[in-house]
Amino acid sequence: MPTPSVFASIRQLPIGQGGFLVGEVTDRHSEAFTYAFDCGSINREHFEQGLSLCSYEKIDVLFVSHLDLDHISGIEALAAQVQINTVILPCLDALHLTLIALEAMNAGGLRLSVRSFLQDPAGWFADRGVKQILHIPRGDSAVEAEPFNPDDSSGDDIVAGSEEEGSLGPYTIRSKGSGQPKTVRAGAAQERVLGEETSITVDIGQAVGSPCWLLVPYVHPFPEADLSEFRTLAGKLLPANFSDRAIASKSFTTKLIKLLADESDRKTLKRCYKVLSGNHNKISMSLYAGPHSASEEEMEIRRSDWSFPWTAIAARHQLLVSRNRYRKVRGGAWLCTGDADLNVLETRSQWLRRYRYLIPRVEVFVLPHHGSNNSIHDEVIDHLKDVVMLACAATGRSKHPHPLLLGRLGAAGSGVWQVSEDPESTFAMHVEFNG
């Protein structure tokens, strides 16, 4: 009996200034695997429009790049419409929680909803029906990142799903050095910290143990020099273990909220925050998604930018057309970046190491921070030639995507497509391959 073909679709939905990607993997006979990356916009109407284009009944895994409003504001609306089984996000360590709180303060104050989330993030997700909350620590700046090899999973722990319901779906989460699960909301959900080297394989249309689709999240290190300066300016306000990459304790969160309630301490921390915000530093997760084994001969790919003849006038959402007129198949993969800092050497070098063997397979690359000129280095652009770049930005934003970045990408011969609030700007890629 022939192995059934596997069909995968990925769509970047039109929600204006923000991010909302949905993906599905199926062989049209088995239960489909569905996932999303980020879920938010600064404009509620724009997000609701994008959400109306998501017809899934459940999301197996929601990846959250980071907790800025334009990347998470739609999670509650999504959870009200579909069942979200698992959420994977950067580890909410002390630094991350502090940055979230200060970002909120900088935007107008620590609202009750933000304070509630900070006090019990896992409970917040559990209250919205999420069954698993998985944290991935940021990379260790003192240790070189391990390049992910899709053909070698030796030494990885298999992270089980819900103990009561068994596997949550047709996928397997593998991680090195994962912690023990903790129950949330009297057993309604489980929370666990994974290792920084984590991957997810999807088993559809395949013999047992032969995965068809691969997802690799990665949170790059935070610049040590900036973290050190932040700690120095904050003085004794922060505990000695502030730099730990482990999930923050409830006592730390309680202390942080108390500090922000004191006018003097709040001003001190906000001054410290300017050190980080001025450099556009973010703790942000990237996500690679693509076929587990690339095969150009047995793979059929359709992309939104391929719907227009190379020699004709480009679609109005194509800001730049690739210099390469030939539809070169690289491997059917998609790489999201959230607000990752791919400019500073310390962070981009680790990011490039982690995705070393996967970058040659990438067809679609989502520019970090909506196409900010300060978020990506030419070294990264050089690794992504013949790749279509997406800028997820609302119409009329003067710096997203930034004209200087468009000039750099144009000089490199890259194509750029802007996914805005216009429904026609939706960018999709469909991949069919033998299982």
Side-chain angles (χ1 to χ4, degrees):
M1 182 176 179
T3 305
S5 293
V6 174
F7 303 87
S9 67
I10 310 176
R11 293 179 294 152
Q12 192 76 46
L13 298 179
I15 44 74
Q17 193 74 10
F20 188 25
L21 173 144
V22 293
E24 179 180 28
V25 184
T26 180
D27 63 1
R28 297 181 179 169
H29 301 288
S30 310
E31 177 189 1
F33 170 79
T34 55
Y35 61 100
F37 182 83
D38 282 345
C39 185
S41 172
I42 61 174
N43 185 298
R44 181 177 177 180
E45 291 183 3
H46 292 169
F47 178 79
E48 290 177 348
Q49 169 189 260
L51 182 60
S52 69
L53 300 176
C54 176
S55 58
Y56 301 152
E57 295 181 357
K58 51 92 179 177
I59 297 291
D60 286 303
V61 183
L62 168 63
F63 297 90
V64 177
S65 68
H66 63 299
L67 295 171
D68 276 4
L69 184 65
D70 57 339
H71 293 257
I72 64 167
S73 63
I75 291 179
E76 192 142 21
L78 178 66
Q81 176 173 304
V82 305
Q83 169 64 47
I84 303 173
N85 287 335
T86 297
V87 167
I88 298 180
L89 72 164
C91 186
L92 295 175
D93 56 32
L95 171 63
H96 198 176
L97 285 181
T98 302
L99 293 178
I100 293 169
L102 292 176
E103 183 81 24
M105 294 296 299
N106 200 48
L110 197 62
R111 300 190 307 272
L112 180 61
S113 58
V114 178
R115 187 182 294 110
S116 175
F117 177 85
L118 291 173
Q119 290 174 329
D120 188 7
W124 188 93
F125 283 114
D127 288 342
R128 284 147 185 84
V130 177
K131 297 178 181 179
Q132 278 195 126
I133 304 97
L134 303 177
H135 301 257
I136 297 182
R138 52 192 159 93
D140 186 349
S141 60
V143 179
E144 288 191 335
E146 180 85 18
F148 181 84
N149 185 345
D151 299 319
D152 180 15
S153 60
S154 59
D156 292 355
D157 299 325
I158 294 180
V159 180
S162 168
E163 292 181 356
E164 294 182 0
E165 298 189 25
S167 175
L168 293 175
Y171 61 97
T172 303
I173 301 175
R174 291 180 172 84
S175 183
K176 291 185 178 179
S178 60
Q180 292 298 314
K182 298 180 180 179
T183 58
V184 180
R185 289 289 190 264
Q190 287 189 338
E191 180 182 32
R192 180 183 292 200
V193 178
L194 305 181
E196 63 190 71
E197 297 166 5
T198 294
S199 64
I200 299 95
T201 54
V202 182
D203 306 296
I204 288 178
Q206 302 285 314
V208 176
S210 179
C212 68
W213 197 254
L214 175 67
L215 300 114
V216 183
Y218 177 65
V219 185
H220 63 62
F222 199 84
E224 280 298 319
D226 293 328
L227 178 56
S228 177
E229 184 176 358
F230 181 87
R231 281 188 54 85
T232 300
L233 292 174
K236 297 181 179 180
L237 291 180
L238 302 175
N241 63 346
F242 179 74
S243 301
D244 288 355
R245 297 181 302 133
I247 192 167
S249 65
K250 291 188 181 298
S251 62
F252 171 80
T253 304
T254 300
K255 179 179 180 180
L256 175 63
I257 293 174
K258 185 177 180 180
L259 288 173
L260 293 174
D262 181 275
E263 183 177 2
S264 176
D265 292 339
R266 183 171 64 248
K267 287 182 177 179
T268 298
L269 287 176
K270 291 183 75 172
R271 285 196 298 270
C272 300
Y273 177 66
K274 290 182 180 180
V275 173
L276 307 181
S277 61
N279 292 333
H280 305 283
N281 287 323
K282 298 286 182 183
I283 295 175
S284 188
M285 181 169 65
S286 297
L287 177 69
Y288 169 95
H292 192 273
S293 296
S295 173
E296 295 183 11
E297 297 179 354
E298 300 180 358
M299 188 181 305
E300 180 180 343
I301 298 175
R302 291 178 289 125
R303 292 184 351 204
S304 293
D305 59 326
W306 286 353
S307 299
F308 304 90
W310 292 104
T311 55
I313 297 175
R316 58 195 175 96
H317 307 293
Q318 284 182 281
L319 306 182
L320 294 174
V321 177
S322 173
R323 187 181 300 163
N324 187 350
R325 293 187 177 186
Y326 301 98
R327 298 179 180 179
K328 181 179 179 181
V329 175
R330 289 171 55 99
W334 187 301
L335 184 51
C336 304
T337 57
D339 280 0
D341 181 356
L342 302 183
N343 191 30
V344 175
L345 176 62
E346 182 179 351
T347 58
R348 78 169 184 272
S349 60
Q350 296 281 52
W351 185 91
L352 286 169
R353 277 186 58 84
R354 181 59 176 161
Y355 289 123
R356 173 188 296 174
Y357 301 126
L358 300 177
I359 285 177
R361 302 180 178 190
V362 173
E363 301 273 347
V364 180
F365 177 77
V366 182
L367 290 163
H369 201 188
H370 315 286
S372 165
N373 188 52
N374 296 322
S375 296
I376 188 168
H377 193 272
D378 286 343
E379 182 183 10
V380 178
I381 294 173
D382 288 342
H383 279 277
L384 292 161
K385 291 180 179 177
D386 301 318
V387 174
V388 62
M389 309 281 193
L390 301 191
C392 302
T395 302
R397 304 280 295 196
S398 60
K399 295 183 179 181
H400 296 152
H402 200 287
L404 291 178
L405 177 60
L406 292 178
R408 292 163 59 200
L409 294 173
S414 301
V416 178
W417 182 290
Q418 182 175 354
V419 180
S420 64
E421 69 282 4
D422 186 340
E424 294 184 3
S425 71
T426 301
F427 192 94
M429 180 172 71
H430 305 281
V431 183
E432 178 182 353
F433 55 96
N434 292 330

